[in-house]
Amino acid sequence: MNLILLGAPGAGKGTQAEILCKKLGIPSISTGNILRAAIKDGTPTGLKAKSYMDAGQLVPDEVIIGIVDERLKQDDCAKGCILDGVPRTIAQAEAIEKAGIRIDAVIAIEISEEEILRRMSGRRVCEACGASYNLEAVPPKVEGICDSCGGKLIQRKDDTPETVRERLKVYHKETAPLVDFYAARGLLKRVEVADNKEATNAKILEALGLGK
Ligand code: ADP
Ligand code: ZN
């Protein structure tokens, strides 16, 4: 099963991708995490991506398409995968179609702008594994430490209010049109965020026909 998670920054795509990955037994592919790892490792891709990411802009389509292409070729994707944060433009969605990747469902996570701004200020991510936390909603068991790998939790550079506003602008212009793109293909399932990550996940599973 190949799934796409769509949603504004802060909608909780990464958190939901992690839960779905465990429940469905397929890997989640986060272009954001892959790019952050590339920056940390100082690879050519990382060097190219950094200035865009820090400014809240999208990394050029050809870079993203290359990353996804390469990642989907790996063995663990044979039974499917969860695409988290990609595609983010119509051009990326078309490239995925052209590559012959069959998408089974697209979950659009819906959230108000007010809630996004509130969440982003409390967001922390694991420097080592990319897991995300929220000081209010999803705090780690030990302050500043990742529950799953023991890594250090940091605030992302692009989570400052100014950059968040820029990312929201980019989202409305470039990514929101994907909702219609996938609705036209009969693949879209809208899910409004619930009170906590478990409740939101239950709604997603239900939308996929996998609920209890
Ligand atoms: P969020 O969903 O909270 O915005 P991500 O970790 O998915 O966070 O992405 C962080 C940044 O990485 C984006 O603002 C963008 O610069 C870059 N990025 C990630 N995925 C893509 C993509 N598919 N296309 C273009 N840029 C991307
Ligand atoms: Zn971690």
Side-chain angles (χ1 to χ4, degrees):
M1 166 144 69
N2 290 315
L3 289 180
I4 291 175
L5 292 182
L6 269 185
K13 296 184 298 289
T15 305
Q16 292 303 325
E18 268 174 57
I19 303 177
L20 288 171
C21 161
K22 283 182 200 138
K23 289 196 176 164
L24 304 178
I26 50 178
S28 84
I29 297 175
S30 156
T31 41
N33 285 351
I34 292 172
L35 291 167
R36 279 184 287 277
I39 290 175
K40 211 174 140 203
D41 295 343
T43 69
T45 302
L47 289 175
K48 218 175 193 178
K50 189 176 186 318
S51 56
Y52 295 100
M53 291 176 74
D54 286 350
Q57 300 294 328
L58 293 183
V59 173
D61 285 332
E62 64 271 18
V63 175
I64 300 296
I65 291 165
I67 288 175
V68 172
D69 229 38
E70 196 176 305
R71 181 65 187 85
L72 288 177
K73 275 190 212 137
Q74 289 168 25
D75 292 343
D76 62 335
C77 294
K79 280 191 292 178
C81 68
I82 301 156
L83 294 175
D84 158 21
V86 70
R88 241 180 171 90
T89 62
I90 296 280
Q92 291 176 20
E94 286 172 346
I96 288 173
E97 265 186 1
K98 260 209 201 117
I101 297 150
R102 179 185 44 82
I103 301 299
D104 297 284
V106 178
I107 301 286
I109 305 178
E110 303 187 319
I111 179 173
S112 73
E113 207 117 311
E114 190 190 343
E115 176 69 12
I116 290 172
L117 293 170
R118 209 174 57 77
R119 283 186 178 193
M120 300 294 245
S121 59
R123 172 150 79 175
R124 298 292 181 273
V125 296
C126 173
E127 201 178 38
C129 77
S132 71
Y133 297 84
N134 189 286
L135 299 184
E136 275 177 54
V138 195
K141 293 194 182 91
V142 181
E143 197 188 315
I145 305 287
C146 175
D147 291 353
S148 36
C149 82
K152 190 175 148 203
L153 300 184
I154 55 165
Q155 178 162 41
R156 274 168 42 178
K157 243 195 183 147
D158 59 350
D159 274 349
T160 59
E162 198 181 298
T163 312
V164 168
R165 266 192 294 276
E166 183 57 30
R167 284 160 65 202
L168 283 172
K169 231 165 65 190
V170 171
Y171 172 77
H172 287 298
K173 182 159 176 276
E174 305 285 348
T175 309
L178 289 175
V179 169
D180 288 342
F181 180 93
Y182 286 115
R185 285 156 178 75
L187 296 174
L188 190 77
K189 310 207 182 294
R190 297 173 186 271
V191 172
E192 209 172 312
V193 292
D195 289 343
N196 55 57
K197 60 177 179 176
E198 288 83 12
T200 304
N201 190 252
K203 287 170 83 174
I204 291 176
L205 289 173
E206 201 183 333
L208 291 172
L210 302 171
K212 276 165 259 167

